[in-house]
């Protein structure tokens, strides 16, 4: 029985996990860096501990410190959130060695899926179609160029260990590849400790559609339908919605079943997401698997009524899934907008002191916030300061609710992407659901400089 | 002239040494802020007379990164 959990994360996801723990009567321990002393999640936890200076290597990635705080506090389990240590197989192993339950899959599965190169291979063997590309990594620029010619430009250059859009770049020529290869590999090495690169064909007019999975330790696996996440900037998601307005019921069923069989083939446990690229003809191709909870999980919760964090905790305690596939239904339409502390046109970060912050309120609005008024938005972490989630009966209604909610924000002291979000949701192509992964480039950037 | 950081961040890459000649718009230093690379470029051609930061340093908005004359 889990009675106390340490949340090895910060910001909105830490607050979100704490909330479900409180609903379940589980005690919570929060950790925070010197930069996060005033953060809201610290105040709502039952206990909190300073973990180190602001830099992630000295704080949220400090495994020894996190484990020692967990043990001193008498925690039974650690929830890693997303990012940070959530997909670190060694950390999972370490928790196991120390008698702490890790809320997530096994270290073996994590290591397998953590390398995008290895994941593609596993999925191929499991009969899941993958995005055309290299079977292994490319070890040198020369090899990359040769391979790019075989695949045909445009290609996506990707870091095998990457996440959050980092270490990936569209490349259209040998010249661009030459410039991109080393810099992306170096970034990947810096951020993820692994500079291995591989190549994929860049699919045109594709949609990023992912399937949410839940699997218990008794061989039961179900999916909670899909999320459409094509509106992105810098390969990082900005707007996500559930369900997708593009795929047919048939495709939905096929993708869900493919994802569940893949989960079974992997002996996957706990929550996870399989990401696909879907082309104009509804052909779907495996992109990667995220062996953790994702930022955009709320839109799935809103349309299915399932609390994914709660399911994670139950699965981690060895309980069998009480939900069957036939019980999961799509109810309404939900959209999430990520609020980033950045310039809405250049996307350059905008750290600063948040002198004013008021979030939107309403019956169909859900806020997940990392900040509150009177805090510093520091440059040490991801620029996302919060998420706005709305739920409507239809997609049209959800868009309308989203727009009204975006207009309610009162923020001073930093720039945000809210002006960008407003332009996107008002765009005809967004309204009719023509959201492909080049949406921001094709439809937003040309508008961006106008008022 | 003093080349300053236009936002808070970590000094990720230093591309020059004291004594180097730089051209207009040449990237002198690359900051990392909120997981994004922010190149700081020389506003005018000149010689780097002082380099005030090392890779790994944290700078605040307005901190002097280098002096170029």
């Amino acid at each position: 029985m889990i009675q106390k959990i340490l949340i090895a994360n910060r910001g909105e996801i830490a607050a979100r996990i704490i909330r479900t723990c409180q609903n379940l009567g589980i005690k919570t321990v929060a950790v925070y860096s010197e930069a996060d002393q005033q953060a809201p999640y610290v105040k709502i936890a039952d206990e909190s501990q300073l973990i180190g200076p602001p830099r992630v290597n000295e704080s949220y990635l400090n495994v020894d410190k996190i484990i020692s705080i967990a043990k001193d506090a008498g925690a039974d389990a650690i929830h890693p959130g997303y990012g940070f240590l959530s997909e670190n197989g060694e950390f999972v192993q370490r928790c196991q060695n120390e008698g702490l339950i890790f809320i997530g899959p096994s270290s073996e599965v994590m290591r397998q899926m953590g390398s995008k190169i290895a994941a593609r291979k596993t999925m191929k063997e499991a009969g899941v179609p993958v995005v055309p590309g290299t079977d292994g990594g490319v070890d040198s620029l020369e090899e990359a160029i040769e391979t790019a010619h075989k695949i045909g430009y445009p290609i996506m250059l990707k870091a095998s260990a990457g996440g959050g859009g980092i270490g990936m770049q569209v490349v259209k020529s040998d010249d661009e590849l030459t410039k991109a290869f080393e810099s992306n590999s170096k970034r990947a090495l810096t951020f993820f400790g692994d500079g291995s690169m591989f190549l994929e064909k860049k699919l045109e007019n594709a949609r990023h559609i992912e399937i949410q999975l839940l699997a218990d330790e008794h061989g039961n696996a179900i999916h909670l339908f899909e999320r459409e996440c094509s509106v992105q900037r810098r390969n990082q998601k900005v707007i996500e919605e559930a369900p997708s307005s593009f795929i047919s019921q048939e495709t939905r069923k096929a993708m869900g079943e493919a994802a569940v069989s893949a989960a079974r083939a992997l002996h996957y446990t706990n929550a996870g997401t399989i990401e696909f690229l879907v082309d104009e003809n509804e052909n779907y191709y495996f992109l990667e698997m995220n062996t953790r909870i994702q930022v955009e999980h709320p839109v799935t919760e809103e349309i299915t009524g399932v609390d994914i964090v709660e399911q994670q905790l139950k699965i981690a305690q060895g309980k069998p899934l009480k939900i069957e596939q036939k019980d999961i239904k799509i109810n309404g339409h939900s959209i999430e907008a990520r609020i980033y502390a950045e310039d809405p046109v250049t996307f350059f970060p905008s750290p600063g002191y948040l002198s004013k912050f008021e979030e939107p309120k309403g019956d169909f609005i859900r806020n997940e916030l990392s900040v509150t008024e009177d805090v510093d938005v520091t440059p040490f972490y991801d620029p996302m300061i919060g998420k706005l989630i709305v739920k409507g009966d239809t997609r049209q209604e959800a868009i309308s609710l989203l727009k009204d909610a975006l207009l309610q924000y009162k923020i001073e002291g930093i720039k945000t992407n809210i002006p960008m979000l407003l332009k996107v949701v008002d765009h005809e192509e967004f309204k009719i659901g023509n959201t492909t992964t080049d949406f921001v480039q094709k439809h937003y950037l040309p508008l961006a400089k106008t008022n | 002239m003093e080349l300053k950081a236009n936002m808070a961040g970590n000094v990720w890459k230093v591309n020059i040494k004291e004594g180097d000649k730089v051209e207009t718009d040449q990237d002198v230093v690359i900051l990392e802020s909120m997981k994004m690379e922010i190149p700081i470029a020389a506003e005018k051609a000149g010689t780097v007379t002082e380099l005030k930061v090392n890779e790994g340093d944290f700078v605040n908005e307005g901190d002097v990164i280098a002096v170029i004359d």
Side-chain angles (χ1 to χ4, degrees):
Chain A
M1 257 322 98
I2 293 178
Q3 292 180 311
K4 193 186 260 195
I5 293 192
L6 181 144
I7 294 100
N9 215 299
R10 60 179 295 278
E12 65 89 15
I13 193 65
R16 156 82 193 86
I17 294 164
I18 291 170
R19 209 168 64 229
T20 285
C21 290
Q22 284 168 347
N23 292 342
L24 299 175
I26 297 174
K27 293 262 177 264
T28 53
V29 182
V31 294
Y32 59 94
S33 74
E34 285 165 15
D36 282 332
Q37 282 173 120
Q38 304 305 321
Y41 77 94
V42 175
K43 301 182 168 54
I44 60 172
D46 292 303
E47 298 169 40
S48 59
Q49 282 290 328
L50 177 65
I51 200 180
R55 268 167 235 211
V56 299
N57 288 325
E58 298 172 86
S59 53
Y60 302 101
L61 295 179
N62 188 337
V63 171
D64 289 337
K65 200 80 206 282
I66 290 170
I67 299 279
S68 111
I69 292 173
K71 292 175 78 168
D72 286 345
D76 310 290
I78 296 187
H79 196 307
Y82 52 68
F84 294 144
L85 297 167
S86 65
E87 290 177 290
N88 185 318
E90 278 162 26
F91 179 66
V92 180
Q93 191 59 58
R94 179 76 188 273
C95 287
Q96 222 174 323
N97 298 345
E98 304 274 1
L100 292 160
I101 299 173
F102 175 84
I103 312 292
S106 67
S107 60
E108 294 76 44
V109 159
M110 204 176 267
R111 275 183 244 249
Q112 234 184 327
M113 293 294 112
S115 153
K116 294 184 196 194
I117 292 171
R120 282 168 54 84
K121 184 164 185 280
T122 305
M123 286 296 153
K124 239 176 146 177
E125 285 164 10
V128 180
V130 304
V131 177
T134 58
D135 281 328
V138 286
D139 295 321
S140 66
L141 177 59
E142 292 67 40
E143 196 188 332
I145 292 179
E146 200 189 305
T147 310
H149 287 191
K150 280 198 204 127
I151 296 175
Y153 288 113
I155 56 152
M156 281 300 282
L157 173 65
K158 289 189 171 180
S160 185
I166 297 178
M168 71 168 74
Q169 193 173 333
V170 184
V171 170
K172 302 190 201 82
S173 67
D174 287 356
D175 210 43
E176 282 184 16
L177 183 52
T178 304
K179 293 193 180 114
F181 191 79
E182 219 215 288
S183 62
N184 278 285
S185 180
K186 181 164 182 196
R187 284 204 90 201
L189 188 60
T190 305
F191 281 105
F192 310 108
D194 175 359
S196 320
M197 308 298 291
F198 69 105
L199 307 181
E200 278 175 359
K201 178 130 192 79
K202 166 116 176 63
L203 297 180
E204 303 292 359
N205 293 324
R207 285 169 164 80
H208 175 121
I209 298 179
E210 58 192 37
I211 305 282
Q212 176 70 53
L213 290 163
L214 284 176
D216 64 21
E217 291 170 10
H218 307 273
N220 301 305
I222 59 170
H223 69 79
L224 299 180
F225 298 110
E226 79 276 10
R227 290 185 290 263
E228 143 66 71
C229 312
S230 306
V231 180
Q232 303 173 6
R233 64 104 188 84
R234 264 195 343 256
N235 297 308
Q236 208 177 11
K237 297 162 187 168
V238 183
I239 296 179
E240 305 108 338
E241 49 185 305
S244 157
S245 61
F246 174 69
I247 56 176
S248 63
Q249 192 47 32
E250 212 172 43
T251 303
R252 173 171 293 116
K253 190 164 183 285
M255 288 177 74
E257 283 169 8
V260 169
S261 348
R264 291 213 173 95
L266 288 170
H267 303 291
Y268 194 80
T269 55
N270 215 284
T273 297
I274 296 191
E275 299 187 333
F276 294 94
L277 279 182
V278 180
D279 72 16
E280 299 163 296
N281 300 312
E282 293 189 47
N283 294 311
Y284 50 91
Y285 304 96
F286 172 81
L287 202 53
E288 62 178 82
M289 181 171 192
N290 294 317
T291 57
R292 54 173 169 80
I293 194 168
Q294 288 198 270
V295 174
E296 60 272 20
H297 73 276
V299 295
T300 295
E301 296 185 318
E302 292 302 314
I303 61 161
T304 60
V306 175
D307 179 329
I308 293 175
V309 172
E310 181 180 335
Q311 293 304 316
Q312 285 190 294
L313 298 177
K314 292 189 162 146
I315 291 169
Q317 291 176 93
K319 298 184 182 173
L321 275 176
K322 284 219 173 99
I323 316 168
E324 286 178 48
Q325 192 63 65
K326 61 177 178 52
D327 300 331
I328 312 281
K329 299 275 181 273
I330 295 176
N331 188 354
H333 198 100
S334 178
I335 308 180
E336 173 184 278
R338 300 193 191 187
I339 312 297
Y340 287 120
E342 66 188 24
D343 184 287
V345 176
T346 64
F347 305 138
F348 270 32
S350 176
Y353 169 65
L354 211 41
S355 52
K356 191 171 181 66
F357 186 86
E358 253 179 61
E359 71 273 18
K361 300 207 163 66
D363 284 336
F364 304 101
I365 291 174
R366 172 175 164 181
N367 291 294
E368 300 289 354
L369 298 170
S370 297
V371 299
T372 184
E373 197 168 280
D374 196 33
V375 302
D376 279 310
V377 175
T378 66
F380 301 103
Y381 313 115
D382 192 89
M384 191 176 83
I385 56 169
K387 296 160 8 193
L388 169 61
I389 300 119
V390 299
K391 159 89 182 287
D393 288 337
T394 62
R395 184 170 186 268
Q396 246 171 315
E397 194 179 273
I399 293 176
S400 178
L401 286 166
L402 185 64
K403 182 176 172 178
D404 288 344
L406 287 167
L407 290 168
Q408 284 185 49
Y409 280 102
K410 290 190 171 60
I411 302 178
E412 280 168 34
I414 58 165
K415 288 188 264 191
T416 70
N417 65 338
I418 291 170
M420 181 235 193
L421 295 167
L422 284 164
K423 287 202 164 107
V424 169
V425 303
D426 251 351
H427 199 290
E428 274 319 303
E429 294 298 311
F430 183 81
K431 289 184 188 169
I432 61 176
N434 274 358
T435 49
T436 53
T437 55
D438 54 2
F439 185 95
V440 169
Q441 200 169 346
K442 227 162 88 169
H443 303 301
Y444 172 71
L445 288 179
L447 275 189
K449 279 147 192 157
T450 67
N451 242 336
Chain B
M1 50 100 10
E2 291 182 324
L3 183 63
K4 297 182 178 171
N6 56 353
M7 74 175 73
N10 288 306
V11 177
W12 188 54
K13 263 199 317 187
V14 175
N15 290 336
I16 45 93
K17 314 183 294 296
E18 279 177 9
D20 281 356
K21 282 195 166 57
V22 294
E23 309 192 344
T24 310
D25 288 341
Q26 180 180 337
D27 288 341
V28 166
V29 140
I30 301 185
L31 297 186
E32 184 266 313
S33 182
M34 290 183 178
K35 295 187 176 173
M36 189 179 169
E37 286 157 32
I38 318 286
I40 309 287
E43 285 160 40
K44 265 165 56 174
T47 307
V48 180
T49 53
E50 276 182 79
L51 176 59
K52 296 241 184 229
V53 299
N54 293 308
E55 285 183 8
D57 286 352
F58 178 77
V59 293
N60 277 305
E61 186 180 335
D63 282 355
V64 180
I65 290 174
V67 181
I68 302 175
D69 286 325

